[in-house]
Amino acid sequence: MTPQLTQEVYVAAKKRRTFAIISHPDAGKTTLTEKLLLYSGMVRTAGMVGARKSRKLATSDWMAMEQERGISITSSAMQFPYKDIIINVLDTPGHQDFCEDTYRTLTAADSAIMVIDAAKGVETQTRKLFEVCRLRKIPVLTFINKMDLEGRPPLDLMTEVEEVLGIHASAVDWPVGSGSEFRGVVNREHRQLLLFTKTASAGASRPDLMELPLDDPSVKGRLSPYVWNQLKHDLELLEVAGNPFSLDAFQNGEVTPVFFGSALTNFGVEAFFDAFVKLAPAAQGRLADTPDGQEVFLDPAETPFSAYVFKLQANMNPRHRDSTAFLRVCSGRFDRDMVVKHHQGKGKVRLSRPHSMVAKDRNTLDVAYPGDIIGIINPGVFQIGDTISLTDGFNYKPLPQFQPEVFAHVRPADTTMRKSFDKGLNQLILEGTIQILRTLDDLDFFIGAVGRLQFDVLEFRLKSEYRVDVLLDIMSYEASAWLEGPVETFKIPSDEVIVKDGRGRPVVLFRSPWSKNYARKHNPDHTLLDMG
Ligand code: G4P
């Protein structure tokens, strides 16, 4: 790379914030995303609310999937400027059956925003997604939402984050009142108070704000005695007992900065976004393996263009039977129609018709930099986790698979449809919706998935995209694990079975999680892995 190009990529990477929003359904992820678009000037809120409503209808009715997919595609990743920063926001499916999809998507993020409902605290899905962030050492910012409704005391919520998630929580902002008395937020470091006055347009535009030093003599008179006393008490307590905030500790995943607000009314939202772009890391480089087994860190600005595939999706547009590969750019500059090396396929590929998404529009993309997500037409050669680059000589870390927990034999209802059935099934295996498993003698195969919903998706997509009705016989296994150690010496409970996955690795299927624990205890020389 020329010094000029390195400098150009360095500056572009520094400007990027690539992140995912994680939350339990209904905590306010969609509303917060809309507000990010609103504050960046990308949309009028009214239009987006309509889209959300239709999406909600569709998610509650999975068979209306055409519509559902129409929306989820547009939100796979969106790019837009926010002030002088370029935002890449990744969509993580909320349903727990899609945790594998979410996992892969999170590998493409450099940070995450965790949205918590102030009345509900840390919920199950949030906990699971947080675990994934911890596993990947992704720094997490916390936004405690719905402060305009009666919720739990902020100090309780901070304690819950610490105890349930096992991370230090450090309040950057502190709420002034809550529920109908939610009046504003205090920035603790600068001791500045932001007071909100309600907007007439119900959250469609910025609220009117008044900014005052906390020590301003007029502050006390502007708040009710209860709110003022509570605020003083909380702030004093935080000074003594609260966790300090350090950028290093945050970026190492040891502490989460906490903010409070209401995505619906916009209160506290802009202050949060401004802090987010300051704190969240810019586009990060990734670790890779060299052919001789060395681990290398590839600097985003010094390394010529490289990227990896974190998501595949076929038939996004029913009128064109195409397949899109989503790439995370890790280093260098991407140029449209570039010819790159496909490391796993060993050949060269032209990256044609690249695009990015802004709200509902697909935009053709001419250049992209580290942190950016590009969708390209998949010429049928890519698999999830594949690396592409200009230089070759390394592979980004393979993306792990989650242990399947539901299993089924599957076949076409009409045997003359076998060819279409095979084609559709292969496509869904490639996309990672389901996993294929075979008996060790190769005489039989069946499918596994993390959740039952993925089988519904399989049935629906084979029918709508490949015109095949399928018959599914659900099997009675409920747990599985990848087996490390010699298969011959593994002591297996009598009614369990060892099979192999799509890459030929041994997988043990168990009738129950209990039986898996039993096998784990009785095979101390073997390892049973939950992620392969
Ligand atoms: P999700 O993507 O995390 O699933 O949540 P979403 O943003 O769709 O929000 C879930 C519900 O919570 C929505 O209400 C939304 O309006 C509401 N909500 C989000 N943020 C806030 C907030 O800060 N304060 C209050 N009071 N409500 C909030 P809904 O009735 O399900 O949908 P809608 O009719 O408002 O679209």
Side-chain angles (χ1 to χ4, degrees):
M1 300 219 321
T2 62
Q4 290 87 338
L5 183 54
T6 304
Q7 178 62 15
E8 176 188 323
V9 176
Y10 176 82
V11 171
K14 278 271 168 279
K15 271 187 156 205
R16 263 115 180 120
R17 301 290 179 276
T18 304
F19 65 99
I21 304 184
I22 59 171
S23 65
H24 195 82
D26 267 356
K29 183 175 84 166
T30 317
T31 313
L32 194 67
T33 312
E34 285 173 13
K35 295 307 160 76
L36 191 51
L37 286 163
L38 173 77
Y39 281 109
S40 62
M42 296 311 291
V43 293
R44 291 174 298 119
T45 315
M48 289 295 285
V49 172
R52 181 179 61 187
K53 285 226 151 110
S54 61
R55 184 198 68 138
K56 283 215 152 163
L57 275 180
T59 31
S60 60
D61 177 7
W62 271 85
M63 293 309 123
M65 241 180 260
E66 285 293 335
Q67 194 187 5
E68 155 61 20
R69 298 185 69 222
I71 308 283
S72 71
I73 299 148
T74 53
S75 55
S76 292
M78 283 188 286
Q79 184 182 70
F80 49 87
Y82 176 80
K83 300 186 181 172
D84 53 352
I85 290 294
I86 305 287
I87 295 281
N88 289 306
V89 51
L90 295 151
D91 189 44
T92 48
H95 198 286
Q96 59 175 12
D97 283 10
F98 285 88
C99 57
E100 195 165 359
D101 249 16
T102 302
Y103 187 94
R104 288 191 289 256
T105 300
L106 281 171
T107 66
D110 295 309
S111 61
I113 293 176
M114 173 165 73
V115 182
I116 291 178
D117 182 326
K120 298 195 174 140
V122 179
E123 299 174 85
T124 33
Q125 192 65 1
T126 317
R127 218 179 55 226
K128 285 188 190 161
L129 292 166
F130 179 84
E131 270 315 308
V132 173
C133 292
R134 188 210 304 280
L135 219 69
R136 296 201 60 87
K137 297 198 165 51
I138 297 173
V140 176
L141 295 97
T142 302
F143 183 75
I144 298 193
N145 191 28
K146 306 201 186 181
M147 288 303 296
D148 58 308
L149 299 177
E150 288 312 320
R152 293 176 30 199
L155 284 169
D156 271 18
L157 292 163
M158 299 277 293
T159 310
E160 183 166 298
V161 167
E162 300 211 322
E163 285 178 356
V164 176
L165 303 178
I167 186 168
H168 292 305
S170 174
V172 173
D173 278 354
W174 198 252
V176 181
S178 66
S180 55
E181 287 217 79
F182 181 41
R183 297 294 316 280
V185 290
V186 168
N187 179 290
R188 288 182 56 222
E189 187 193 356
H190 300 116
R191 291 188 65 76
Q192 282 290 106
L193 170 68
L194 279 185
L195 275 185
F196 311 123
T197 42
K198 272 207 164 58
T199 44
S201 49
S205 56
R206 285 181 161 81
D208 290 331
L209 289 178
M210 182 187 290
E211 192 167 353
L212 292 168
L214 189 58
D215 306 323
D216 189 290
S218 77
V219 168
K220 189 173 169 188
R222 293 177 189 275
L223 304 174
S224 75
Y226 174 77
V227 169
W228 170 247
N229 288 332
Q230 187 70 43
L231 179 67
K232 260 183 47 185
H233 165 266
D234 286 358
L235 290 178
E236 279 164 20
L237 198 69
L238 285 172
E239 279 317 309
V240 185
N243 290 303
F245 177 75
S246 107
L247 197 59
D248 274 355
F250 158 63
Q251 296 196 343
N252 290 330
E254 293 154 18
V255 63
T256 177
V258 180
F259 300 80
F260 294 82
S262 158
L264 190 69
T265 60
N266 299 343
F267 290 180
V269 169
E270 193 172 16
F272 170 63
F273 290 150
D274 288 350
F276 166 77
V277 294
K278 271 201 206 115
L279 298 177
Q284 303 286 295
R286 293 283 189 274
L287 286 172
D289 295 315
T290 60
D292 56 2
Q294 305 286 316
E295 193 170 78
V296 284
F297 174 79
L298 296 170
D299 185 88
E302 307 277 340
T303 316
F305 170 72
S306 72
Y308 71 89
V309 179
F310 68 95
K311 178 171 172 161
L312 290 176
Q313 185 144 22
N315 308 333
M316 296 206 322
N317 181 343
R319 273 168 302 160
H320 313 280
R321 295 246 139 185
D322 55 7
S323 159
T324 300
F326 291 92
L327 308 171
R328 147 96 196 198
V329 180
C330 298
S331 67
R333 189 180 74 188
F334 165 84
D335 293 296
R336 186 176 167 179
D337 284 328
M338 199 173 217
V339 176
V340 294
K341 290 181 183 140
H342 174 218
H343 299 198
Q344 282 74 12
K346 312 279 178 240
K348 289 197 169 183
V349 191
R350 176 181 297 277
L351 301 178
S352 59
R353 289 165 62 196
H355 52 266
S356 70
M357 314 285 179
V358 178
K360 282 176 118 184
D361 305 319
R362 245 186 206 221
N363 293 338
T364 301
L365 196 92
D366 291 318
V367 287
Y369 296 98
D372 288 348
I373 307 299
I374 45 183
I376 54 156
I377 302 301
N378 180 11
V381 295
F382 291 133
Q383 298 211 22
I384 288 172
D386 283 3
T387 303
I388 53 170
S389 77
L390 279 176
T391 49
D392 210 348
F394 60 88
N395 285 325
Y396 284 113
K397 301 272 176 196
L399 302 192
Q401 290 178 299
F402 270 61
Q403 49 174 338
E405 288 179 5
V406 288
F407 307 87
H409 275 111
V410 54
R411 62 200 153 91
D414 172 356
T415 45
T416 61
M417 297 301 285
R418 185 98 227 171
K419 239 178 151 170
S420 308
F421 168 81
D422 286 347
K423 195 166 163 207
L425 195 67
N426 280 335
Q427 180 57 41
L428 292 169
I429 292 166
L430 271 183
E431 289 181 24
T433 307
I434 49 162
Q435 297 178 34
I436 183 120
L437 297 161
R438 289 178 212 284
T439 51
L440 294 178
D441 58 13
D442 274 321
L443 290 179
D444 194 12
F445 85 92
F446 48 97
I447 56 172
V450 176
R452 178 65 226 226
L453 193 56
Q454 274 147 319
F455 285 167
D456 295 347
V457 172
L458 168 91
E459 280 185 284
F460 180 81
R461 288 191 56 191
L462 284 180
K463 171 94 184 143
S464 66
E465 292 162 25
Y466 298 89
R467 312 249 163 274
V468 185
D469 282 306
V470 291
L471 297 174
L472 276 177
D473 293 322
I474 304 288
M475 298 160 82
S476 60
Y477 299 104
E478 285 182 2
S480 66
W482 279 271
L483 175 63
E484 266 190 5
V487 173
E488 313 75 52
T489 55
F490 183 70
K491 291 197 245 33
I492 183 166
S494 62
D495 54 353
E496 317 299 18
V497 60
I498 301 183
V499 296
K500 55 186 182 181
D501 72 1
R503 292 193 235 159
R505 296 170 304 175
V507 178
V508 193
L509 307 190
F510 300 96
R511 301 269 171 199
S512 66
W514 180 87
S515 149
K516 178 168 160 182
N517 275 340
Y518 181 88
R520 208 171 240 151
K521 268 195 207 125
H522 288 81
N523 289 281
D525 298 334
H526 290 75
T527 310
L528 289 171
L529 299 168
D530 293 339
M531 234 183 251

